[in-house]
Amino acid sequence: MKTFGELFQTADWKTEKHVPVIDCPDKVKAGELFAVKVTLGKEVAHPNTTAHHIRWISVYFHPEEEKFPSEIGRFEFNAHGESAEGPDKGSVFTHHEVSFSMKTAKPGAIYATALCNIHGLWRSEKELDLA
Ligand SMILES: [Fe+2]
């Protein structure tokens, strides 16, 4: 049996459309808010249809030398063209992209995870230093 962690796939986001891309500064000031954007398909677009879409992105931050990570946010994408007329006949599609702000007193690592409804769990991470 695989561990839960082993179920998360990762790859180079420049060639693999499922990998969450974390956009934020490499260095931030302690205790000052900074902007973070997490999206998928930055280089290779991921479909957004009733049959094939991204369900959610969850973001965590693990402060250096602390035992546990903090959950920063969980973002669900719930409109994928579903309609009484049938799949993809709806007029509303949530795009798999999130923007938020956060602050930290310590350096650490941001972890992003995402679920594709047919291609499973994906992850990526980015180090964050203090300026
Ligand atoms: Fe997919």
Side-chain angles (χ1 to χ4, degrees), residues 17-18 46-47 52-54 116-119:
K17 62 181 177 281
H18 289 95
H46 187 279
H52 186 191
H53 53 260
I54 302 301
C116 169
N117 70 320
I118 59 177
H119 296 118

Side-chain angles (χ1 to χ4, degrees), residues 1-118:
M1 183 178 79
K2 290 184 176 181
T3 67
F4 186 51
E6 289 171 334
L7 297 178
F8 285 81
Q9 308 162 81
T10 194
D12 185 347
W13 61 265
K14 289 177 183 158
T15 54
E16 170 52 61
K17 62 181 177 281
H18 289 95
V19 179
V21 181
I22 303 165
D23 275 321
C24 71
D26 294 333
K27 290 186 176 191
V28 299
K29 289 188 178 166
E32 282 194 16
L33 287 170
F34 60 95
V36 182
K37 185 169 93 173
V38 182
T39 188
L40 281 91
K42 189 174 175 184
E43 203 67 40
V44 187
H46 187 279
N48 187 6
T49 65
T50 305
H52 186 191
H53 53 260
I54 302 301
R55 290 269 172 85
W56 50 255
I57 291 174
S58 280
V59 183
Y60 303 85
F61 183 70
H62 184 216
E64 221 170 80
E65 296 170 13
E66 288 192 13
K67 188 169 183 182
F68 302 114
S70 292
E71 184 182 45
I72 302 301
R74 180 180 171 90
F75 310 92
E76 299 203 11
F77 311 116
N78 294 329
H80 305 284
E82 300 88 342
S83 167
E85 281 75 50
D88 299 311
K89 302 286 192 213
S91 57
V92 181
F93 294 80
T94 318
H95 186 59
H96 38 262
E97 176 180 304
V98 296
S99 295
F100 57 91
S101 297
M102 61 174 284
K103 62 182 179 179
T104 173
K106 294 181 179 177
I110 298 174
Y111 295 85
T113 59
L115 177 70
C116 169
N117 70 320
I118 59 177

